[in-house]
Amino acid sequence: MFEQAWMRVSATVPLEPEVLVDDGTVYATLSYKPIGVVGAIGPWNWPMLISIWQIAPSLRMDNTVVLKPSENTTLSVLALCHVLDQVLPAGVLTVVAGDREVGAAMPGHPGIDKIMFTGSVATGRRIAEGASGTLKRLTLELGGNDAGIVLEDAFGDDEEANDAVAEGIFWGAFINTGQTCAALKRLYVPDAIYDTVCQALVRVARRMPMGVGLAEENVLGPLQNRNQFDVVDRLVEAAKASGADVLIGGDPDREAAGFFYPTTLIADIDPDDPLVVEEQFGPALPIIRYTDLDQAIAQANSLDVGLGASVWSSDKAAARAVAERIEAGTVWINAHGAIDPRVPFGGIKSSGYGVEGLKHVAVPHVING
């Protein structure tokens, strides 16, 4: 469904030449030309959707695409591209499956004009180094550790209303079992409503069953691989050892089949705890108490990542004022992680550079005169 919508919107958004200056003397226009061959390197966490994010705008802007799927999720991407190739001319979309050596060869390849990559900061650095010899264009969407800041007016005395806000926060954090670069990964909550927020999040979490995806009632699934399970397990165990309060979860069955880590909410945790400052990329959300909004903003900005963030408030003007102070590529208001092909998306700091979007898989072309 998401893949179809992304293709449809990318295909129908109008892109007319933009008049930059028309003062009677100078007439300057800006349009966008194909960049050539786009090399797309995808991750394992959203293999088909992120592949579409890379393919759809590239094709719309009249490029061809060479796609390298993650070695952990190759089959789903091969199936997706097989479907697309039923209607695309031969050679427009090429899938090159393989291990990391295949991906490593793409940034320096002289036949590729742009690299789009979604993945870890460490791999992004290597891609930037590999592309430096050809000066090819890059879009690097790298790791994040997105902060959410709750303002005091976001929760009140109405339990049903509180649960509605808490459900938005929950899915901002736990969509795809937390395996999303732009998931909400640390939540800052004012002391005045701290207990209210924690209680609402626990109520929501208890209504979200986890299990095998073939069972219709399950809305959360496993982690994709053992390594990611171990990362989440390590960080939660460290938080527990530090004295943080586990509100729900934190007790995985390590002998069970699959990599199911239970939905975990951890309260009264130190702002410098590893679960807060490292990207857990899984279903464990630390909830940090604050008494001073300036301090919460400073803590949100303290890490060397800046992909997304969110502010939660019943006063949108107040929320936007806080959002202006947050160092992130995108700051959502009363939502977290929503992506739209009409809206550029990308990170700052170590979360990468360049943005997703139609104009960014093309070459700007100015005619002045």
Side-chain angles (χ1 to χ4, degrees), residues 39-200:
I41 304 174
W44 51 256
N45 57 317
W46 288 95
M48 291 195 291
L49 181 57
I50 290 179
S51 292
I52 288 295
W53 291 358
Q54 297 168 330
I55 293 168
S58 298
L59 297 185
R60 165 65 196 282
M61 301 308 289
D62 292 330
N63 302 294
T64 60
V65 179
V66 176
L67 178 64
K68 159 62 173 71
S70 167
E71 57 270 31
N72 292 321
T73 51
T74 303
L75 293 180
S76 59
V77 177
L78 286 172
L80 171 69
C81 294
H82 174 73
V83 172
L84 294 175
D85 278 337
Q86 304 308 301
V87 295
L88 292 174
V92 169
L93 173 61
T94 303
V95 184
V96 182
D99 57 18
R100 294 182 180 182
E101 291 184 2
V102 175
M106 292 174 67
H109 195 291
I112 295 176
D113 302 292
K114 179 182 175 74
I115 292 288
M116 301 179 74
F117 171 72
T118 298
S120 71
V121 174
T123 303
R125 289 195 178 104
R126 291 196 292 271
I127 287 173
E129 291 169 359
S132 63
T134 59
L135 294 179
K136 60 173 51 69
R137 290 161 175 79
L138 299 175
T139 293
L140 302 177
E141 191 224 298
L142 309 180
N145 193 342
D146 289 14
I149 298 180
V150 179
L151 304 188
E152 283 193 16
D153 61 5
F155 285 73
D157 298 325
D158 185 328
E159 184 173 297
E160 185 176 347
N162 288 344
D163 283 8
V165 178
E167 186 166 339
I169 293 173
F170 179 90
W171 283 118
F174 292 98
I175 188 171
N176 202 32
T177 318
Q179 298 167 108
T180 300
C181 295
L184 197 167
K185 298 187 175 80
R186 48 196 172 113
L187 184 67
Y188 296 87
V189 177
D191 180 69
I193 59 169
Y194 190 84
D195 292 341
T196 298
V197 174
C198 288
Q199 291 162 9

Side-chain angles (χ1 to χ4, degrees), residues 151 153 311-324 333-334:
L151 304 188
D153 61 5
V311 183
W312 302 80
S313 172
S314 61
D315 183 342
K316 283 197 173 182
R320 293 187 72 91
V322 173
E324 289 283 356
I333 305 297
N334 295 330

Side-chain angles (χ1 to χ4, degrees), residues 252-277:
D253 182 351
R254 298 175 180 85
E255 305 304 319
F259 305 122
F260 289 93
Y261 197 95
T263 304
T264 300
L265 297 168
I266 297 188
D268 292 315
I269 186 169
D270 189 280
D272 295 321
D273 189 276
L275 182 59
V276 178
V277 299

Side-chain angles (χ1 to χ4, degrees), residues 271-337:
D272 295 321
D273 189 276
L275 182 59
V276 178
V277 299
E278 295 183 31
E279 184 183 20
Q280 70 275 47
F281 215 70
L285 178 65
I287 309 170
I288 304 101
R289 188 190 301 262
Y290 76 83
T291 55
D292 179 84
L293 179 57
D294 290 338
Q295 182 183 44
I297 294 171
Q299 290 174 350
N301 291 338
S302 64
L303 304 182
D304 188 33
V305 286
L307 189 55
S310 57
V311 183
W312 302 80
S313 172
S314 61
D315 183 342
K316 283 197 173 182
R320 293 187 72 91
V322 173
E324 289 283 356
R325 301 171 59 190
I326 296 178
E327 297 169 0
T330 299
V331 183
W332 292 275
I333 305 297
N334 295 330
H336 195 107

